[in-house]
Amino acid sequence: MAKKQFKAESRRLLEMMINSIYTNREIFLRELISNASDALDKRYYEGLTDKSKNVAKKDLWIRVNTDKEARTITIEDTGIGMNEKELESNLGTIARSGSAEFRDALEKNTSKIDIIGQFGVGFYSAFMVAKKVTVDTRPAGSEEAFRWVSSGEDGYTITSIEKDAPGTTITLELKDDTDEEKFGEFLEEWKIRELVRKYSDYVRYPIKMDVTKSIPDPTDESKTIDRKEEETLNSMVPLWKKNKSKIKDEEYNEFYKGTFSDWEDPRKVIHYNVEGNVSYTAMLFIPGKAPFNFYNNDYESGIRLYSKGVFILDNAKDLLPECYRFVKGLVDSDDLNLNISREILQQDRQVKALAKSIDKKITKALEDMLEKERETYEGFFDDFGLNLKYSIYKTYGADKEKLQNLLLYRSSKEDKYVTLKEYVERMTEDQKEIYYACGSTIEDIEKLPVLSKVRSKGYEILYFTDAVDEFVIRMMMDYDGKPFRSVSEAGLDLDSEEEKKAREAAAEENKELLEAMKNALGEQVTEVRISSRLTEDPVCVVAGEGMSIEMEKVLSQDPMNKGMKANKILEINPSHPIFDKLKTVFSRNPDALAEYADILYDQALLIEGLPIDDPAAYARRIADLMVQAAVPEADPAEPVEAEVVE
Ligand code: ADP
């Protein structure tokens, strides 16, 4: 029988599972039971929608059995089963996780546990406790059955077998006990009972086990004898149907982790009932951490949909708005048609009403979190804030009203997040605009020359460090009637009447100088002018009408946008000594002015983090200046070389 090899990622993952030192190995049972439960859901749903395949609820169950002698645990289900092809593709590769990030993560192999957790690698977790895994399976509606066997890294085999009934039986041959680890513990009744209670209590199908009961000995009443009896280990009440006040945090956490394959507790649980046009129960979770692939295309969003406790479909996208695509969870409604399909979902009126209601509830929950649990919210925002911003941008501002109060920014005021509302509340009396500055990091922004004047006026400046930030506020236009204004925008005007007059006078007086500089720089700038925003630095470049400097940076990363440039204006600080120097050069040697203009313009670009056209020419000019620069003559009294001490 030919052995087949696992796909490369699967093999590496298996290796990790086999050699795992993860202390939480016991979750293998949860993962396998959860797979069984999904398979039962699929079979039951098929029966409901296709009467010819009708299955009675009583025939749907999971059974766990242990055999101490053979050191095996079996998990049997009467679910949908797998055909040969499914068996091959589902268990021969990592179904969900063949993504690029996953491969990268495996490659780096930094924190193994994290990887295991973030990708929810389900079935393979069996190899944390088993040295050999056998999967017998027969798909519902077929006579053919197959056996998949693997002892780990060296591959797997698939053979045809006989199997009485549809469903899947997984047999784990446990690893040998060592001094440190007692795998044999998983063969104990009490252990299985404990694990099912802990992780799988709410599975809506019975998880049965033959347990040993002591009963009075019929021949001698003073004694007891042991008898095997079948018992259902789980309570089967869906957690979301239980009274909220009776549910402990721990129960929510275990349910979340078990159902949505996360290793970490959720950051927030939103559990509620709605009675009305559409009546439903929702149990929604905000994950504790953004999944690896959250910002990639292969991230699947959506929530689970149930109708009267019956699972209908997973990842129902139409129930979740894009802006909240990080939310996991489920909705159970009494008003939905069981035959609803993904296609119908999009048009169904009830579904639309449901989605709208869910949207509102999540918004409210986030607003409450921001108000009452600031720290938790900030953690949430670190993970998912970018998604909120993208939504405002992508909806051309349509999501503005809903999301603007959920945004957080760093600012010049203190080393903390600020909301737009808080910003506006602490604006100074004469302040009419919301100021912001862009850069890749806070440190970069704080070095920008253009910041100082705005700061000196006592105005707070929002720091935009995400590439999308400025695009977002262009969509928002304003907040609470206050327009956003970049400190690097030509239109920024902070001068008093007096200052304005002085600037105009200086501009008038140096008109020819400024014009000559503009001519020297040519098309690169639309204007060279006297600055009102610089205090210590000699020059800066600001954007005129249209695209901002920051947008040019972002857009230029895409080759499609090559050549899209901001209209740049070079501003000169009239109180900087360089300005006097320029005047002198212009009056005595106007031809040399072009060199000065070039150097200053390149400097201004560099400070903004923009590339300069000809770095070699720039370097040459600076070197020339250094050569020309006056250096004090060495004092002849001082010996040039160190004296040699005899
Ligand atoms: P996940 O469950 O996260 O998709 P797994 O590695 O746990 O990933 O399982 C891979 C796939 O194998 C499942 O998606 C499912 O299609 C199939 N599978 C696993 N266990 C069973 C089972 N007991 N019955 C039917 N199909 C199963």
Side-chain angles (χ1 to χ4, degrees):
M1 190 186 343
K3 264 223 164 94
K4 300 194 179 183
Q5 294 306 314
F6 289 103
K7 296 264 160 55
E9 301 92 78
S10 307
R11 202 166 52 236
R12 241 169 288 149
L13 182 64
L14 267 174
E15 254 165 55
M16 253 169 55
M17 288 294 173
I18 291 162
N19 304 316
S20 155
I21 43 154
Y22 191 53
T23 48
N24 216 9
R25 290 166 187 277
E26 62 186 31
I27 57 86
F28 80 92
L29 191 63
R30 168 186 89 187
E31 297 294 311
L32 297 181
I33 287 179
S34 158
N35 279 349
S37 166
D38 290 347
L40 289 163
D41 272 344
K42 285 180 200 155
R43 176 130 187 249
Y44 186 52
Y45 179 64
E46 205 179 75
L48 286 174
T49 49
D50 178 351
K51 288 289 172 235
S52 71
K53 290 184 180 155
N54 208 356
V55 270
K57 189 98 200 234
K58 71 169 179 36
D59 294 330
L60 299 174
W61 43 257
I62 298 166
R63 190 198 303 277
V64 182
N65 273 325
T66 56
D67 180 336
K68 280 191 178 166
E69 252 156 54
R71 279 180 73 84
T72 58
I73 306 179
T74 50
I75 296 115
E76 179 185 359
D77 69 62
T78 54
I80 193 92
M82 285 176 269
N83 62 32
E84 191 176 5
K85 225 168 107 205
E86 285 163 345
L87 196 53
E88 168 102 42
S89 69
N90 288 341
L91 305 188
T93 49
I94 309 161
R96 276 187 314 175
S97 318
S99 59
E101 307 82 67
F102 186 70
R103 275 196 297 274
D104 287 352
L106 271 180
E107 210 89 289
K108 287 189 197 115
N109 214 4
T110 41
S111 156
K112 293 183 181 178
I113 289 152
D114 244 358
I115 300 177
I116 299 176
Q118 299 230 4
F119 288 92
V121 283
F123 173 77
Y124 284 136
S125 61
F127 286 96
M128 290 201 286
V129 298
K131 55 181 175 186
K132 182 172 166 199
V133 178
T134 306
V135 181
D136 289 353
T137 185
R138 178 176 145 189
S142 161
E143 300 292 312
E144 288 191 331
F146 302 93
R147 171 170 292 170
W148 179 100
V149 184
S150 172
S151 305
E153 288 131 311
D154 63 338
Y156 59 92
T157 55
I158 295 178
T159 46
S160 281
I161 52 157
E162 299 280 318
K163 191 174 181 300
D164 292 345
T168 304
T169 305
I170 299 181
T171 306
L172 311 183
E173 195 179 318
L174 294 179
K175 293 183 183 184
D176 300 329
D177 287 351
T178 65
D179 286 346
E180 291 88 40
E181 295 199 84
K182 304 280 175 250
F183 296 98
E185 198 180 65
F186 295 122
L187 298 166
E188 302 293 339
E189 230 171 82
W190 63 267
K191 187 66 186 176
I192 300 288
R193 190 190 287 275
E194 178 194 298
L195 294 180
V196 169
R197 270 286 151 124
K198 186 165 165 195
Y199 296 117
S200 312
D201 194 47
Y202 310 104
V203 168
R204 286 159 307 104
Y205 303 95
I207 302 169
K208 304 178 191 186
M209 183 164 70
D210 283 338
V211 297
T212 318
K213 294 251 162 96
S214 293
I215 53 161
D217 188 341
T219 55
D220 180 354
E221 294 240 330
S222 66
K223 290 189 190 146
T224 57
I225 52 165
D226 284 349
R227 204 175 67 183
K228 285 276 183 190
E229 232 176 65
E230 187 180 86
E231 191 180 306
T232 295
L233 304 180
N234 55 329
S235 73
M236 289 200 290
V237 182
L239 185 61
W240 62 94
K241 294 272 187 194
K242 278 177 70 172
N243 191 332
K244 225 172 118 172
S245 60
K246 302 235 161 64
I247 307 178
K248 294 193 216 83
D249 286 351
E250 235 169 62
E251 291 181 274
Y252 279 125
N253 293 348
E254 288 308 336
F255 177 83
Y256 166 75
K257 289 189 281 194
T259 314
F260 300 104
S261 309
D262 198 343
W263 237 246
E264 241 169 86
D265 290 342
R267 195 181 293 277
K268 186 88 203 155
V269 183
I270 311 166
H271 182 192
Y272 63 93
N273 268 313
V274 169
E275 304 283 338
N277 280 346
V278 263
S279 303
Y280 71 99
T281 302
M283 203 152 91
L284 307 173
F285 301 89
I286 296 176
K289 200 153 88 188
F292 254 78
N293 58 349
F294 182 64
Y295 288 105
N296 286 41
N297 285 340
D298 64 352
Y299 172 80
E300 263 202 88
S301 73
I303 42 188
R304 256 182 213 201
L305 186 60
Y306 291 81
S307 172
K308 303 186 189 72
V310 177
F311 169 84
I312 300 187
L313 45 91
D314 212 352
N315 297 326
K317 278 199 187 59
D318 302 284
L319 289 178
L320 260 192
E322 266 292 293
C323 56
Y324 300 142
R325 57 199 276 277
F326 47 81
V327 171
K328 299 265 170 219
L330 56 90
V331 165
D332 190 348
S333 169
D334 287 350
D335 302 333
L336 288 179
N337 186 335
L338 273 181
N339 275 312
I340 207 152
S341 70
R342 249 170 235 285
E343 294 68 44
I344 298 175
L345 211 55
Q346 287 173 1
Q347 301 135 24
D348 192 275
R349 222 164 30 92
Q350 296 283 54
V351 171
K352 282 199 177 134
L354 194 58
K356 206 166 156 193
S357 166
I358 293 171
D359 188 357
K360 277 204 185 125
K361 288 284 183 180
I362 300 175
T363 308
K364 181 76 176 57
L366 289 174
E367 283 168 357
D368 283 353
M369 190 157 109
L370 173 60
E371 195 186 315
K372 297 176 194 139
E373 299 164 86
R374 179 73 172 220
E375 210 176 304
T376 312
Y377 186 84
E378 291 186 359
F380 152 77
F381 194 82
D382 282 335
D383 275 342
F384 300 111
L386 197 55
N387 195 60
L388 303 183
K389 293 177 184 174
Y390 272 124
S391 295
I392 297 181
Y393 175 62
K394 279 201 245 161
T395 58
Y396 299 101
D399 271 354
K400 171 184 167 179
E401 289 305 319
K402 176 167 86 179
L403 300 178
Q404 61 184 355
N405 285 318
L406 294 174
L407 301 179
L408 297 180
Y409 295 99
R410 297 281 171 182
S411 87
S412 56
K413 203 78 164 189
E414 46 193 2
D415 188 17
K416 268 195 214 159
Y417 271 129
V418 58
T419 64
L420 292 173
K421 190 156 168 265
E422 288 158 357
Y423 180 100
V424 167
E425 275 163 8
R426 62 194 194 200
M427 272 167 70
T428 59
E429 240 167 64
D430 62 333
Q431 188 183 347
K432 296 188 180 55
E433 300 173 312
I434 299 173
Y435 297 108
Y436 68 85
C438 304
S440 327
T441 62
I442 293 174
E443 293 72 39
D444 281 357
I445 294 178
E446 293 198 319
K447 280 186 219 142
L448 287 176
V450 291
L451 231 60
S452 52
K453 182 74 178 259
V454 189
R455 272 184 135 163
S456 71
K457 293 264 172 187
Y459 301 153
E460 180 173 9
I461 303 160
L462 297 179
Y463 292 166
F464 285 2
T465 48
D466 283 328
V468 74
D469 280 332
E470 204 176 19
F471 293 85
V472 172
I473 55 102
R474 292 242 169 165
M475 291 299 169
M476 284 169 64
M477 314 283 280
D478 60 31
Y479 175 81
D480 193 21
K482 318 275 187 301
F484 291 94
R485 173 75 74 184
S486 162
V487 297
S488 312
E489 209 173 280
L492 179 78
D493 185 2
L494 301 169
D495 283 350
S496 63
E497 282 307 308
E498 259 167 63
E499 285 170 320
K500 219 176 268 176
K501 276 204 188 110
R503 177 157 46 99
E504 278 160 14
E508 188 54 38
E509 197 179 308
N510 297 288
K511 204 167 154 211
E512 283 161 20
L513 166 67
L514 297 172
E515 262 173 27
M517 288 185 73
K518 154 73 187 120
N519 288 338
L521 293 171
E523 294 292 299
Q524 300 179 93
V525 295
T526 54
E527 193 185 346
V528 176
R529 68 183 195 190
I530 302 272
S531 183
S532 68
R533 74 192 87 209
L534 294 173
T535 52
E536 276 144 37
D537 299 84
V539 284
C540 68
V541 57
V542 300
E545 284 292 300
M547 193 191 297
S548 74
I549 306 258
E550 205 53 30
M551 288 171 145
E552 175 182 323
K553 275 193 239 168
V554 174
L555 293 174
S556 65
Q557 285 166 11
D558 184 346
M560 294 285 286
N561 301 319
K562 267 255 143 43
M564 285 177 79
K565 292 216 182 304
N567 288 319
K568 299 188 192 71
I569 297 171
L570 178 67
E571 289 195 350
I572 309 175
N573 179 357
S575 0
H576 195 281
I578 197 83
F579 193 60
D580 291 331
K581 183 79 180 192
L582 286 171
K583 284 200 261 187
T584 317
V585 172
F586 185 53
S587 65
R588 294 199 197 146
N589 182 11
D591 292 344
L593 188 71
E595 288 284 295
Y596 279 77
D598 278 335
I599 292 178
L600 289 173
Y601 178 63
D602 280 352
Q603 281 184 347
L605 291 180
L606 288 173
I607 295 170
E608 272 297 332
L610 285 167
I612 53 179
D613 274 352
D614 190 348
Y618 174 73
R620 217 178 307 120
R621 288 189 191 109
I622 296 283
D624 286 349
L625 276 187
M626 288 162 85
V627 171
Q628 286 162 29
V631 179
E633 292 285 323
D635 188 340
E638 296 265 327
V640 178
E641 278 170 77
E643 245 176 288
V644 181
V645 182
E646 293 292 312

